[in-house]
Amino acid sequence: MQPYELSLATAAQEIRERRLSPVELVDSVLERIEQVEPHVAAYVAFSADQARRTAREAEREAVQGSYRGPLHGIPVGLKDVIDVVGVSTTASSRTRAGHRAASDSTVAASLRAAGAILIGKTHTHEFAYGLTTPQTNNAWDQGRIAGGSSGGSAVAVASGAATSALGTDTGGSIRVPAALNGVVGLKPTYGLVPRHGVTSLSWSLDHVGPITRTVEDTALVLAAIAGHDPRDPASVAVPGVDYRPSAEPDLTGVRVGVPRTYYFDHVDAEVAAAVRRAIAELEALGARLIDIDIPMTRYIQATQWGLMVPEATAYHQATLRAVPELYQADVRILLEAGELMGAGDYLRAQRARTLMRDEWARILEDVDVIAAPAVPMAAVPSGQETVTWPDGTVESVSDAYVRLSSPANITGVPALSVPVGRDTAGMPVGMQLLGRPFAERTLLLVGHAYERTQSARSLAPVT
């Protein structure tokens, strides 16, 4: 096995026990990037020289006994909306040509402090405003979409071009590409991970979180980036938590809510079957399944768009009016649509969000986690714009992917996407676990328990 194939937890153990050096790991990942990047286009840019210099420093520290923890010497990709001092943050947009970050974002600084090696910036749908990441190809089938907007991060991890990566999630932008590329993605509780230095899409819906190959890896990255930063007005000070899940896959006493409504409506039959098999595995591990109804389903999509569209337009208003021609057409249309939304529409969406939060809090009093599909279908072919369901309903691809992920953004609850197999075309399928605010440890416990019942997953065979 090549070093780039190692999970973060395994690589960390090898580095800690001096069987693998950070230099060897970084060299292996950089070689993998050169091999797969022409096929998947996960990165906006990466710096081999800087990464190798940092790896040599990490190796010297390890030799001298200054081991910083499980991220010491680990190569990490960052979605290109996350500031790294002296590096361009383009948000995959022509409007950001020539931009250079004056300082690190909070999460980039946290990763540096933990010993991680920032290896490159990964592609996003322009300004994270989309669910496909059109520049990047799916790691399992380069003729299909990567998912978005953190598509570059998910593909980098899935193809071995990063040991882990960070993404952002405003309506599913971590969980959707994670599910479509067969990796793990976590949208933390709103306020748990600071967003200072991260380009905003929609301030009341934006989250930063990890994309990794295993649930254990996700726990290790979350521990490094969670924390309070008063420069983010939404940041919440919470006690430190050991997120690393137990090694024993025992879910005795855990109550798992299984939606009767919404999450299994207009979902591909193979996706639904894979997720239900995974839920049955949770029951076999000792979990108690409880049927639940998702509240206010008719208002979910309207509330998501009613919050996101005006907030995004407000952020971009000056640039949109100055250089509208520099935006991609799909993003420009959405931003211009936001100019037409009235204050009353936005306030009604805020009111609906408050009611949804209250209803979800009541549901989560009776269950510990909710298990459901992460996406309604596997990755569609690049360029496909709509999906037609068996009952004749036609839905845009973006609406279909955001439909199952947006409730967690609206309510702010944590949500974890875990791979649960592949469909008959060989494309990955993901299960979504949702829980109470700041109960990430419970989600990771359940996800890890399920993961341990499965055979080891291989990286995507990019050729």
Side-chain angles (χ1 to χ4, degrees):
M1 177 177 285
Q2 298 298 313
Y4 74 81
E5 298 177 85
L6 299 174
S7 69
L8 190 160
T10 301
Q13 182 176 355
E14 294 289 299
I15 290 171
R16 184 175 64 250
E17 297 178 2
R18 305 284 300 280
R19 292 192 295 267
L20 175 69
S21 78
V23 172
E24 291 171 327
L25 179 57
V26 166
D27 280 344
S28 181
V29 169
L30 288 172
E31 289 171 7
R32 181 64 173 170
I33 289 173
E34 291 182 359
Q35 178 185 0
V36 302
E37 187 63 10
H39 305 285
V40 297
Y43 282 93
V44 175
F46 59 93
S47 174
D49 291 341
Q50 179 61 44
R52 289 189 171 105
R53 282 195 296 271
T54 308
R56 288 193 291 270
E57 293 171 9
E59 186 168 352
R60 282 194 294 269
E61 289 180 348
V63 169
Q64 295 167 1
S66 299
Y67 180 70
R68 302 193 192 190
L71 268 62
H72 189 110
I74 299 297
V76 177
L78 297 182
K79 182 177 180 177
D80 196 27
V81 294
I82 300 173
D83 281 352
V84 175
V85 62
V87 177
S88 176
T89 304
T90 71
S92 293
S93 176
R94 292 179 296 171
T95 69
R96 286 289 189 92
H99 173 274
R100 287 289 183 276
S103 60
D104 275 340
S105 58
T106 305
V107 289
S110 295
L111 290 173
R112 285 189 198 276
I117 297 172
L118 310 182
I119 203 162
K121 303 294 281 297
T122 58
H123 269 302
T124 172
H125 206 114
E126 186 178 29
F127 283 108
Y129 210 173
L131 270 295
T132 62
T133 314
Q135 313 92 320
T136 302
N137 300 321
N138 191 283
W140 291 88
D141 180 344
Q142 284 79 73
R144 294 176 184 259
I145 65 167
S149 60
S150 305
S153 290
V155 169
V157 173
S159 63
T163 304
S164 67
L166 293 190
T168 61
D169 192 312
T170 304
S173 292
I174 287 172
R175 290 159 290 152
V176 170
L180 300 187
N181 288 279
V183 291
V184 177
L186 173 69
K187 183 204 79 66
T189 303
Y190 186 73
L192 180 63
V193 176
R195 302 166 304 175
H196 173 73
V198 178
T199 302
S200 178
L201 171 57
S202 172
W203 73 269
S204 74
L205 298 168
D206 291 340
H207 303 67
V208 180
I211 297 175
T212 66
R213 291 181 206 145
T214 72
V215 174
E216 183 180 16
D217 291 355
T218 289
L220 295 176
V221 178
L222 180 63
I225 62 175
H228 178 57
D229 186 340
R231 293 173 296 180
D232 176 359
S235 181
V236 177
V238 296
V241 175
D242 180 6
Y243 292 106
R244 198 161 185 163
S246 167
E248 296 299 322
D250 181 8
L251 298 182
T252 301
V254 176
R255 301 167 298 170
V256 176
V258 182
R260 280 185 291 241
T261 55
Y262 194 71
Y263 278 99
F264 287 95
D265 299 338
H266 288 151
V267 169
D268 178 79
E270 290 190 74
V271 170
V275 173
R276 290 198 185 277
R277 285 194 297 270
I279 292 171
E281 289 278 4
L282 301 181
E283 185 177 31
L285 292 170
R288 181 159 63 95
L289 306 186
I290 300 172
D291 289 337
I292 61 171
D293 292 311
I294 301 300
M296 301 180 65
T297 58
R298 63 181 293 191
Y299 301 108
I300 290 173
Q301 288 284 70
T303 301
Q304 171 72 24
W305 292 105
L307 295 167
M308 183 170 64
V309 171
E311 289 181 359
T313 298
Y315 181 86
H316 286 274
Q317 190 173 65
T319 308
L320 179 65
R321 292 178 178 178
V323 286
E325 69 280 1
L326 295 184
Y327 287 93
Q328 297 297 320
D330 61 332
V331 172
R332 177 179 171 181
I333 288 169
L334 286 170
L335 292 173
E336 290 175 341
E339 298 270 22
L340 304 177
M341 293 187 67
D345 296 323
Y346 180 66
L347 293 174
R348 279 186 286 274
Q350 290 284 15
R351 173 62 175 160
R353 186 225 298 269
T354 300
L355 295 174
M356 283 185 203
R357 280 177 173 164
D358 292 344
E359 292 294 326
W360 275 69
R362 279 191 279 274
I363 291 173
L364 290 166
E365 289 176 358
D366 299 323
V367 298
D368 300 301
V369 299
I370 297 170
V375 289
M377 57 203 177
V380 299
S382 299
Q384 180 175 327
E385 296 183 355
T386 62
V387 57
T388 302
W389 298 107
D391 66 358
T393 300
V394 178
E395 187 176 25
S396 74
V397 166
S398 291
D399 279 349
Y401 283 129
V402 78
R403 173 162 43 87
L404 302 188
S405 51
S406 60
N409 296 89
I410 294 168
T411 60
V413 302
L416 176 72
S417 179
V418 180
V420 292
R422 287 183 275 164
D423 65 12
T424 52
M427 300 307 297
V429 174
M431 174 175 67
Q432 184 174 195
L433 301 171
L434 306 98
R436 301 185 193 102
F438 304 105
E440 276 79 0
R441 195 174 193 285
T442 301
L443 297 188
L444 294 166
L445 166 71
V446 175
H448 183 61
Y450 168 78
E451 187 176 70
R452 284 179 63 85
T453 69
Q454 308 302 301
S455 57
R457 293 193 299 271
S458 61
L459 295 177
V462 180
T463 57

